[in-house]
């Protein structure tokens, strides 16, 4: 399961994995997870190793994990950890989907003054967006280069196959334009701030996440600026 923790100055996510669904509901598994949550809430944990080595209420988490492994006889481990340290004038949005199958943390930065509850509600909406549509990056600049190259290769192959089937010869510069267009379309689907904000009742104009926050939410709250500056998305087993 994915566990999410928020404190005054940071938010963190970690995965505690097991092999079967019933074990994730086992009392010992849940107690181990709760011990880890307490460690993250009270200590400066920044990695899986640091989490395992943390001591809470006189108990080292790695030792409790070893006890649970012996008792349950199933492969259980902490698989991943991520944190976001809170910046000035920012809020976190926290969303857990299907009892920890997916966990998302978003951070929105704002300029101006607004009700914190309203800001956190907007941040949670964006976390739900990320949970549902699985972005791989916050913006175009943060998309991994290998992802872009892979999409270019896919687009090129599709265009070349279509040309062979039609028997038409396409000029290289036209092929490149088609490749660029197809990659741009893919980026809008995998980049969080470029995705269309999914709540239709709040977004009748079908604005992107970036534009929705600035043109709708910021105006409603009287802010000069509101944008996503960070997010973490963990999915169980991935």
């Amino acid at each position: 399961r994915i566990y999410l923790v928020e404190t005054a100055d940071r938010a963190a996510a970690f995965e505690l994995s097991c092999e079967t669904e019933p074990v994730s509901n086992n009392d010992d598994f849940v107690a181990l997870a709760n011990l880890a949550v307490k460690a993250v809430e009270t200590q400066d944990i920044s990695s899986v190793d640091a989490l395992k080595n943390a001591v809470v209420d006189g108990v080292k988490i790695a030792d409790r994990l070893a006890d649970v492994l012996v008792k349950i006889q199933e492969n259980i481990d902490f698989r991943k950890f991520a944190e976001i340290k809170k910046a000035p004038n920012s809020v976190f949005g926290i969303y857990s989907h299907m009892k920890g199958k997916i966990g998302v943390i978003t951070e929105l930065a704002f300029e101006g003054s607004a009700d914190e509850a309203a800001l956190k509600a907007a941040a949670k909406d964006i976390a739900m967006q990320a949970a549902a549509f699985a972005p791989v990056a916050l913006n175009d600049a943060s998309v991994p280069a290998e992802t872009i190259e892979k999409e270019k290769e896919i687009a090129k192959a599709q265009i070349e196959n279509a040309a062979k089937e039609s028997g038409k010869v396409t000029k290289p510069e036209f092929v490149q334009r088609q490749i660029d267009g197809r990659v741009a379309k893919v980026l809008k689907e995998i980049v969080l701030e470029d995705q269309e904000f999914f709540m239709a009742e709040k977004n009748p104009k079908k604005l992107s996440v970036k534009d929705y926050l600035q043109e709708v939410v910021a105006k409603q709250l009287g802010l000069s600026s509101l944008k996503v500056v960070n997010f973490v998305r963990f999915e169980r087993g991935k």
Side-chain angles (χ1 to χ4, degrees):
R1 291 189 177 185
I2 308 300
Y3 292 85
L4 305 173
V5 180
E6 181 182 3
T7 66
D9 60 356
R10 62 201 285 266
F14 68 85
E15 179 180 354
L16 180 58
S17 66
C18 57
E19 295 176 6
T20 59
E21 188 73 26
V23 167
S24 68
N25 295 310
N26 178 280
D27 289 344
D28 292 299
F29 182 95
V30 173
L32 173 62
N34 289 338
L35 195 69
V37 167
K38 188 172 183 179
V40 176
E41 288 176 335
T42 59
Q43 301 177 35
D44 186 17
I45 307 295
S46 59
S47 67
V48 168
D49 286 343
L51 180 57
K52 288 182 179 181
N53 288 318
V55 177
V56 181
D57 299 332
V59 179
K60 188 174 182 179
I61 290 178
D63 293 339
R64 177 62 59 83
L65 172 61
D67 292 341
V68 173
L69 285 169
V70 171
K71 187 172 183 179
I72 296 179
Q73 292 292 303
E74 184 169 301
N75 187 27
I76 299 170
D77 204 1
F78 294 94
R79 290 187 65 246
K80 51 192 174 186
F81 183 98
E83 69 169 347
I84 301 175
K85 293 187 177 180
K86 192 172 184 290
N89 294 330
S90 73
V91 294
F92 291 127
I94 305 293
Y95 178 66
S96 180
H97 181 64
M98 293 182 66
K99 297 182 179 180
K101 180 180 179 180
I102 299 172
V104 180
I105 301 166
T106 55
E107 183 182 20
L108 303 189
F110 61 93
E111 293 181 8
S113 179
D115 178 68
E116 184 175 359
L119 284 167
K120 289 187 72 66
K124 184 178 180 180
D125 282 349
I126 305 305
M128 292 173 68
Q129 169 90 26
F133 295 95
V136 301
L138 174 61
N139 50 41
D140 287 354
S142 56
V143 177
E146 58 269 25
T147 298
I148 294 177
E149 289 305 313
K150 182 179 179 180
E151 292 301 332
K152 286 181 178 179
E153 290 174 5
I154 293 172
K156 183 178 180 181
Q158 290 173 341
I159 293 165
E160 289 177 346
N161 288 336
K164 286 179 181 179
E165 290 177 1
S166 67
K168 296 180 180 179
V169 178
T170 306
K171 292 182 180 180
E173 58 268 28
F174 292 158
V175 172
Q176 189 58 52
R177 287 179 194 173
Q178 291 181 60
I179 291 172
D180 293 342
R182 294 192 185 198
V183 171
K185 184 177 180 180
V186 170
L187 289 179
K188 284 187 177 182
E189 296 173 353
I190 66 173
V191 169
L192 177 57
E193 68 175 19
D194 290 339
Q195 290 178 342
E196 181 182 316
F197 180 60
F198 77 115
M199 293 185 177
E201 71 280 7
K202 295 184 178 182
N203 187 30
K205 294 183 179 180
K206 298 184 178 182
L207 299 172
S208 67
V209 166
K210 179 180 179 180
D211 291 341
Y212 168 76
L213 287 174
Q214 185 59 38
E215 297 179 22
V216 178
V217 183
K219 286 183 179 179
Q220 289 175 347
L221 300 181
L223 300 169
S224 58
S225 176
L226 181 64
K227 59 185 178 180
V228 192
V229 291
N230 216 332
F231 83 98
V232 169
R233 183 188 188 278
F234 280 175
E235 185 167 348
R236 183 177 66 194
K238 294 186 178 180

